[in-house]
Amino acid sequence: MSTKNPLKRPLLASSAAVALLGTAALTIPAGAGATANAAAVTTVKICLAVTTGQNAEVTVDLPQAAIDPLLSHTPSYLGPCASYGTPSALGNGTVRTYAQLEGSGKPVSIGFVFPKETLQNLPATMTDQHHCYDVDGNGTVDEHTECMGGHERPLDLPAALTNSPGIPYKWALLNFNKMGHGPTGIYDTQHFDFHFYTQSKAERDAIRPGPCALAINCDDFATSTKPIPSQYMPAGYIDNGVSEVAMGNHLIDQSSPEWHNQLFTKTFIYGAYDAKISFLEPMISKAYLDGLATGANSNGCFPIPQPQAWQQSGWYPKDYCIKYRANRGDYTVSMENYQHS
């Protein structure tokens, strides 16, 4: 018979929380007076963390005055504690998915998280050659023009998320593009694609290679470019027929700065297949992520253009967010500000 105490972990976390609260109390400026008293009335949900290990975290509501000291002196973070997917190796680190949920099951944040080391020693080649096709039939494959997807990392989503009602997201996919991809002069710079799939992985995997568009089977190209009904088409997006093997079509935000003679830094893409939205995708340059850690760029959230309606009911984000957490030494790329449709 096991003698392990099932309450040991939460008790340890609670003890740690008391210690962290002491840290917060010591670091609140003396003489804060009325400001501190007013802040003490307002409470904020925070995940108290002793280390960056998930087992040492506990969700609590704390006075506003305690939040900044905790975020400065500990690896704590805002919102309820996260659950995580399985990590996958990349660069000198890993990448995995995470989800923060309210008690009701409503998502607060769904995203990717990876330590700063992940951006070091990244793959040096154009692609991992998982999705190639000899488009010109010359007997060889040019990885620059006949291979798609860069270096991909399929990822599972946390079970706590996928088991919640109203969640349309089934899995996630990270692509690292060492030399970017087309169109030339737009997205041909080193960047990451962060996909949140509403399409099943089996259906995505069945999108075959072939000679059409971006190395995609011509019948699958036709399926992927079926028109999205107008009420489900995101506002301001257009279909340029940018359909890709093992991915499907990409709908483009024509108002994004890179389409108006500005350098690409970040944008939001919608994927489509068989007349349905198949994935939601923040696309971010490596240079932009590097700039977050150095302070050249600021953490932020950005609006996601919305369709008039969604084909499948559930929780959908109105913002995507890109953040570097100095107290944890990691990045998050997330979808937030959820509304039920």
Side-chain angles (χ1 to χ4, degrees):
M1 177 183 293
S2 172
T3 58
K4 291 183 179 179
N5 182 352
L7 298 178
K8 184 176 181 181
R9 184 181 298 169
L11 285 173
L12 287 173
S14 298
S15 298
V18 172
L20 291 177
L21 286 172
T23 299
L26 289 172
T27 53
I28 296 172
T35 302
N37 290 334
V41 176
T42 304
T43 60
V44 176
K45 194 174 296 296
I46 188 170
C47 181
L48 281 172
V50 182
T51 71
T52 54
Q54 184 181 2
N55 292 341
E57 297 183 346
V58 60
T59 301
V60 295
D61 292 292
L62 293 179
Q64 177 68 56
I67 300 303
D68 286 345
L70 284 170
L71 295 180
S72 298
H73 293 83
T74 75
S76 303
Y77 53 93
L78 291 174
C81 293
S83 55
Y84 296 93
T86 307
S88 181
L90 182 64
N92 286 343
T94 61
V95 60
R96 59 180 174 171
T97 61
Y98 77 93
Q100 293 174 272
L101 305 173
E102 293 182 359
S104 63
K106 176 183 177 180
V108 174
S109 179
I110 303 172
F112 295 75
V113 59
F114 46 97
K116 189 176 181 180
E117 291 75 22
T118 298
L119 299 188
Q120 301 166 5
N121 196 30
L122 287 162
T125 56
M126 180 78 174
T127 76
D128 54 23
Q129 299 192 352
H130 284 167
H131 307 295
C132 300
Y133 190 83
D134 183 10
V135 175
D136 58 16
N138 68 352
T140 62
V141 169
D142 183 344
E143 70 168 1
H144 290 269
T145 59
E146 297 176 317
C147 292
M148 302 297 149
H151 295 266
E152 68 173 21
R153 297 293 186 273
L155 301 167
D156 60 349
L157 292 169
L161 176 70
T162 55
N163 290 337
S164 293
I167 300 299
Y169 316 106
K170 295 178 172 62
W171 63 291
L173 178 70
L174 173 71
N175 294 85
F176 169 63
N177 303 280
K178 172 69 176 179
M179 302 169 197
H181 52 64
T184 302
I186 305 293
Y187 297 126
D188 54 353
T189 187
Q190 191 170 176
H191 71 267
F192 294 86
D193 303 330
F194 299 90
H195 302 86
F196 300 86
Y197 269 88
T198 57
Q199 180 187 41
S200 74
K201 189 173 186 300
E203 185 177 341
R204 173 267 188 187
D205 289 347
I207 301 174
R208 299 162 291 180
C212 286
L214 300 179
I216 187 174
N217 173 276
C218 294
D219 288 340
D220 294 348
F221 173 81
T223 301
S224 68
T225 54
K226 287 182 182 179
I228 300 284
S230 60
Q231 68 269 35
Y232 304 129
M233 188 73 172
Y237 278 67
I238 58 173
D239 178 0
N240 278 346
V242 187
S243 193
E244 183 176 332
V245 54
M247 200 163 286
N249 202 8
H250 293 72
L251 307 177
I252 306 299
D253 180 3
Q254 59 187 343
S255 70
S256 202
E258 66 273 11
W259 292 97
H260 299 275
N261 301 314
Q262 296 185 45
L263 182 69
F264 164 64
T265 57
K266 56 182 169 38
T267 193
F268 195 88
I269 303 290
Y270 280 95
Y273 196 78
D274 199 14
K276 298 186 288 290
I277 296 298
S278 56
F279 60 79
L280 288 72
E281 177 198 347
M283 191 161 75
I284 306 165
S285 73
K286 181 178 181 295
Y288 188 87
L289 292 170
D290 288 336
L292 291 177
T294 63
N297 298 325
S298 299
N299 290 347
C301 294
F302 312 94
I304 299 174
Q306 302 287 301
Q308 294 176 23
W310 294 91
Q311 289 157 303
Q312 177 183 353
S313 65
W315 292 106
Y316 291 93
K318 299 187 74 174
D319 298 314
Y320 73 100
C321 303
I322 313 170
K323 302 172 185 177
Y324 176 69
R325 301 186 295 189
N327 66 330
R328 296 178 68 86
D330 66 14
Y331 295 87
T332 61
V333 175
S334 61
M335 302 192 303
E336 303 185 10
N337 190 14
Y338 282 85
Q339 205 170 48
H340 198 275
S341 174

